C-alpha cells in the first residue's frame, strides 16, 4: 500500500517531511574500496584494469581485448531487429534536432569605456560515457549521453560498458553505432572511471566523465572530480504526477507504474485535488500491476515508496512539487500551461494528459538524464552546455585601462596585493 | 630561478610534461577529519558549530553570536574609507552590467509533429557563499560570487566567513553591503560548509555552496555534493602570458609577479616567440621583485613554479596553451584577436598589451572565479548560469503521441520496461 496523505491532516507537515527526507537507496560506504581501485589503476594501468574486470565482471579479457573491435560492434549491431534500429534512429534524430537548439551563442561587445567583454563557448575535447551493464543497460541512455556531446562538437567520445559474464545487450552497440560512437571498452565500475580520468596504455584519458552507475561508479566520479569534470551523482528515478478531476485514472496509474518498475528505490507520487481520482488511481494501479510481467518489482516499489497526496488546490500542489523538486513532473490537467510558472524546481515537466513521462525517456527529443533526489533545486538535465565551456574575453584600450585604473589599484591595495596594483600602474606612465 | 625551456630542445616534451604534471599544492588528506566534522554538525547543529568555530578560529562566539548583526555590519562597513567603497561600487556596477548579459532566454517551440519542446530557466532559491578568512580574504571575491547570484534572481544569499581571533577585514562587510548580502555568519572550514548544506537551528540550509577555501573546505564541498550543488574545487591561481617581440618586458614581468604574489602554489608562465623578450622579462622580474613589499612570497613562487618557454611560432604557443589550459591567458601581442580562436582551453583570455590580468580581477566586469589546475579543459568561470537551472518542457497532442508511440514502445520493449510501453499504448485506444 502506498502512503496516503491529505494536506488537511493535522500531522501532514510531519508526515510530508518524513516522505521528503526518506532515503531510497542504501548509502553503501565504498569510499575506501574506490580509493584503492583508483590508485591501482593509476599505478598499474591496463594490468589493473584487466585484473579488476576479470574479477568483478568475470569477463575473461586480456589487455588487447579491452576495446570492442569495429567488426565486433558491426556484427553485434547487425543482430538487432530492424524495427529496433529504426526506433533508435528516430529517437536519435529527434534528440539531435532538439539539442541543436541548445547550442549557445558567443557574445562579444564593447562598452562605453572601450572595454571589450565577451563569452566564447568551445567544446570539451574528449568525453567518457559510462553505460551500466546488466539490468539497467539502456540503449536510450547511450543516445541521451552521446548525442548532446556530438552536437556540442566533442571530437572524441570514449564509451565504457561492463560486460558481466562477457555478455552485452547488442542494442547498446547499435545505439552507439547510430550515435557515431566508435571507441568502446568492455569495462565498468570504479576501475572504468579511473581509466577514463587518468588514462592507461590502452585508454587515453578524457576531460569529462558522464553517465549513471552504481555506488562504486558514483563514488569514483566524486573522487576524480577536479581531475576531470563529471555530470552529476544520479540517484533513484522518480515521478510526481499532479492531477485534477480531468485526469484519466487509468493513464495516471500507468505512469506511476512505469516509474515504479525501475525498482532500486524509484518513487511515484500522485498529488491531486480530487479525492475520487485518488481512490480510482489507487485501485487502477492495483489492477494494472497484475497485468505487468515484472509486477513484483513494480509493486514493491509502489508499496514502499509510492504516495498519494490530496491537496486543497493546484497552488498547494505546486508548493509541494517545489519542495519535492522531482526529476519528472507530469501535469495531468486540461490546462497544464497555467501551472508551469508555479513549478520552479523540476528536472522536466510533462504537459497535459497525452504526455506520459515515458515518451520523454525515448523519443520526445528532450534529454532523459535529469536531476534526481531533490537536486532539481540546483541542477539541470544533461544538455549541450555540459559538453562545452565558456571562456571570458576582456580587452582594454589604453584609455579604458586608464579610466579603470584608480578603482582597480585601490582594491588591490585593500587586498594587500601590491603586485596587482603595480601591473596596472606600470602601464599608465607611457 | 624559473624554469627555462625551448621547444627546440630534444628533451622538451619530457620537461614540458613534467611542468604540466607538477603538483602545486600538498594534497593533504583531510577526508576522514572532514567526514567527522560534517557528521558532528548534522548531529549537534549549532552546538557543534560553536564548538568547532571557537576551537579552530579562536573566535569566542556563542550560538546567538554566529550571525553578524545588521548594526555590526553597518558599523564595520562605515570604517572603510570612501575611496575603497567607491572602488568596490564601481567594480560591483561593472560586474552586474556584464553578468546581466549572461541571463539565458527561455525557449519553447512546437515541432512539425505537434510536440511542444522547451527549456525554461529558473533561479536557485538559496545560495551559500564561502569567503575565506585571513590572508586570502578578498572583498572583490564577495562581489564576484554574490553579484551573479543576485543577477540570476537568487532570493536568499547566506555568506560565511571565518574570523580568526575574532577579526575580519571590514572591506569584506562593505562589499557584502554593496552586493546586498545581509545574512552573514562568522564561521568557516568544513563546519561552515556542513551548516550550509544541512542547516542548523540558526542557519537554514541552502541549495548550492560556492566559493574557494582551503583543503578542508574543498573536501567538505566534495563530500556534500549531491545534497547541495557546488561550483568547483578551486586550486592555486595561475597565469600564462603569450608574448611576441611587440610586448613590453616590464609590463609582462609585472603581470607574472602579480600572479606569483598570491603564493600558495600560484604559477606564472611566459611563452614567447622572442628570445630577447624572454631574457628581458626574466631580468625585469628580478628587478621589479626587489621593489615589492611582499617580495619574498612572490620570489619563492616565481622560483619554484615560474617558467619561461621559447617557441618557434604563435601557433605552437597556442598548442602549449591548450595543453596547459590555464585559468588566465594574456595575449601580449599587437593583434591578439587573431590568436583567440586557436586558444581553446582557458578560463579567461586577456587581449593585448593594455589588459593586465589584474584589471579582470577587479573592475573589468567579467568574473574572476575561474577554472584552475587545467580544469579549463572542461569547466567555465563562475557566471549567472551557475545560479540557475534548466527545466525541460515536453507536451504531446494526441496525434503527436500517436505518431511517436510505435518507436517509443519498441525501445521500451528492448529495455525490458513493459510498464513504460503500456503507459503510452493505454492512451492510444481512446
Amino acid at each position: 500500500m502506498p502512503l496516503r496523505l491529505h494536506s488537511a491532516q493535522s500531522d501532514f507537515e510531519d508526515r510530508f517531511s518524513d516522505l521528503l527526507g526518506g532515503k531510497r537507496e542504501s548509502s553503501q560506504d565504498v569510499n575506501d574500496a574506490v580509493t584503492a581501485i583508483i590508485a591501482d589503476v593509476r599505478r598499474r594501468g591496463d594490468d589493473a584494469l584487466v585484473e579488476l574486470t576479470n574479477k568483478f565482471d568475470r569477463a575473461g579479457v586480456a589487455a588487447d581485448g579491452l576495446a570492442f573491435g569495429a567488426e565486433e560492434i558491426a556484427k553485434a549491431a547487425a543482430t538487432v531487429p530492424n524495427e529496433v534500429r529504426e526506433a533508435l534512429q528516430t529517437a536519435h534524430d529527434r534528440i539531435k534536432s532538439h539539442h541543436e537548439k541548445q547550442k549557445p551563442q558567443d557574445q562579444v561587445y564593447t562598452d562605453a569605456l572601450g572595454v571589450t567583454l565577451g563569452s566564447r563557448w568551445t567544446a570539451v575535447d574528449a568525453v567518457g560515457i559510462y553505460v551500466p551493464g546488466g539490468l539497467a543497460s539502456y540503449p536510450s541512455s547511450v543516445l541521451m549521453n552521446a548525442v548532446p556531446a556530438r552536437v556540442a562538437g566533442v571530437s572524441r567520445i570514449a564509451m565504457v560498458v561492463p560486460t558481466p559474464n562477457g555478455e552485452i545487450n547488442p542494442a547498446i552497440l547499435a545505439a552507439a553505432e547510430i550515435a557515431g560512437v566508435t571507441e568502446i571498452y568492455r569495462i565498468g565500475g570504479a576501475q572504468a572511471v579511473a581509466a577514463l580520468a587518468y588514462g592507461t596504455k590502452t585508454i587515453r584519458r578524457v576531460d569529462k566523465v558522464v553517465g549513471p552507475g552504481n555506488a562504486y561508479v558514483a563514488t569514483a566520479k566524486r573522487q576524480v572530480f577536479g581531475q576531470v569534470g563529471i555530470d552529476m551523482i544520479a540517484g533513484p528515478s522518480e515521478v510526481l504526477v499532479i492531477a485534477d478531476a480531468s485526469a484519466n485514472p487509468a493513464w495516471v496509474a500507468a505512469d506511476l507504474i512505469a516509474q515504479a518498475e525501475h525498482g532500486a528505490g524509484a518513487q511515484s507520487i500522485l498529488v491531486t485535488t480530487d479525492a475520487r481520482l485518488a481512490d480510482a488511481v489507487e485501485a487502477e494501479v492495483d489492477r494494472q500491476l497484475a497485468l505487468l510481467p515484472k509486477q513484483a518489482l513494480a509493486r514493491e516499489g509502489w508499496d514502499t515508496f509510492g504516495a498519494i497526496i490530496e491537496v486543497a488546490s493546484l497552488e498547494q500542489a505546486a508548493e509541494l512539487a517545489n519542495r519535492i523538486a522531482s526529476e519528472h513532473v507530469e501535469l495531468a490537467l486540461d490546462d497544464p500551461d497555467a501551472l508551469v510558472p508555479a513549478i520552479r524546481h523540476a528536472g522536466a515537466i510533462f504537459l497535459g494528459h497525452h504526455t506520459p513521462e515515458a515518451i520523454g525517456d525515448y523519443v520526445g527529443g528532450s534529454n532523459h538524464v535529469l536531476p534526481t533526489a531533490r537536486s532539481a533545486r540546483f541542477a539541470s538535465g544533461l544538455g549541450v552546455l555540459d559538453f562545452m565551456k565558456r571562456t571570458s574575453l576582456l580587452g582594454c584600450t589604453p584609455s579604458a585601462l586608464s579610466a579603470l585604473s584608480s578603482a582597480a589599484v585601490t582594491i588591490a591595495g585593500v587586498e594587500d596585493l601590491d603586485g596587482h596594483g603595480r601591473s596596472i600602474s606600470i602601464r599608465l606612465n607611457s
Side-chain angles (χ1 to χ4, degrees), chain A residues 47-362:
Chain A
D47 288 347
L49 214 47
V50 167
E51 193 177 301
L52 293 162
T53 300
N54 289 336
K55 177 178 167 193
F56 292 124
D57 299 335
R58 306 158 304 277
V61 293
D64 62 2
L66 286 172
F68 280 90
E71 266 184 52
E72 190 179 9
I73 296 170
K75 205 169 149 191
T79 67
V80 172
N82 272 343
E83 188 194 346
V84 173
R85 290 190 64 85
E86 280 162 23
L88 290 172
Q89 187 70 52
T90 297
H92 170 273
D93 295 350
R94 290 191 55 86
I95 298 163
K96 180 163 180 246
S97 157
H98 176 61
H99 283 75
E100 271 167 355
K101 296 191 197 294
Q102 292 180 359
K103 285 194 82 165
Q105 294 292 314
D106 290 352
Q107 190 185 38
V108 182
Y109 64 95
T110 302
D111 72 10
L113 284 183
V115 181
T116 299
L117 288 134
S119 295
R120 192 215 36 191
W121 293 88
T122 46
V124 173
D125 277 349
V127 166
I129 295 180
Y130 190 96
V131 177
L135 197 63
S137 191
Y138 299 141
S140 59
S141 292
V142 173
L143 300 178
M144 293 292 180
N145 281 280
V147 174
R150 285 188 64 90
V151 169
V154 171
S155 54
R156 177 178 160 235
I157 299 177
M159 184 172 123
V160 297
V161 53
T163 58
N165 301 312
E167 284 166 21
I168 186 166
N169 179 349
I172 291 285
L173 297 177
E177 200 176 56
I178 287 168
V181 176
T182 55
E183 184 182 341
I184 310 176
Y185 303 97
R186 57 181 98 240
I187 55 174
Q191 59 275 18
V193 175
L196 290 170
Y198 290 99
T200 69
K201 196 176 164 209
T202 300
I203 303 176
R204 274 181 301 146
R205 66 159 185 73
V206 301
D207 300 305
K208 185 159 184 168
V209 177
V210 301
N214 63 15
Y216 284 84
V217 173
T219 302
K221 282 169 69 179
R222 189 185 291 275
Q223 288 192 14
V224 300
F225 175 49
Q227 165 68 19
V228 292
I230 63 172
D231 54 342
M232 58 182 91
I233 308 285
S237 194
E238 62 217 8
V239 73
L240 169 66
V241 181
I242 297 179
D244 62 12
S246 73
N248 181 325
W251 299 0
V252 171
D255 297 351
L256 296 171
I257 289 171
Q259 198 59 40
E261 77 173 335
H262 281 292
Q267 181 167 55
S268 304
I269 301 179
L270 168 65
V271 174
T272 181
T273 51
D274 190 67
R276 276 185 310 183
L277 184 84
D279 292 340
V281 168
E282 190 169 357
E284 264 293 328
V285 170
D286 249 4
R287 195 186 68 80
Q288 291 185 33
L289 273 173
L291 308 173
L292 204 67
K294 286 201 293 181
Q295 61 172 292
L297 188 70
R299 191 178 292 275
E300 192 197 331
W302 174 241
D303 287 346
T304 314
F305 303 113
I308 296 177
I309 306 176
E310 288 173 53
V311 291
S313 66
L314 288 178
E315 292 65 41
Q316 197 176 24
E319 228 171 81
L320 298 186
N322 286 327
R323 292 176 64 187
I324 295 171
S326 188
E327 180 186 12
H328 307 107
V329 175
E330 286 190 12
L331 302 181
L333 311 167
D334 280 342
D335 183 11
D337 292 349
L339 201 62
V340 167
I343 312 282
R344 285 176 300 113
H345 309 311
I349 301 177
F350 301 84
L351 306 165
H353 302 299
H354 293 87
T355 316
E357 186 270 315
I359 208 78
D361 282 342
Y362 299 128

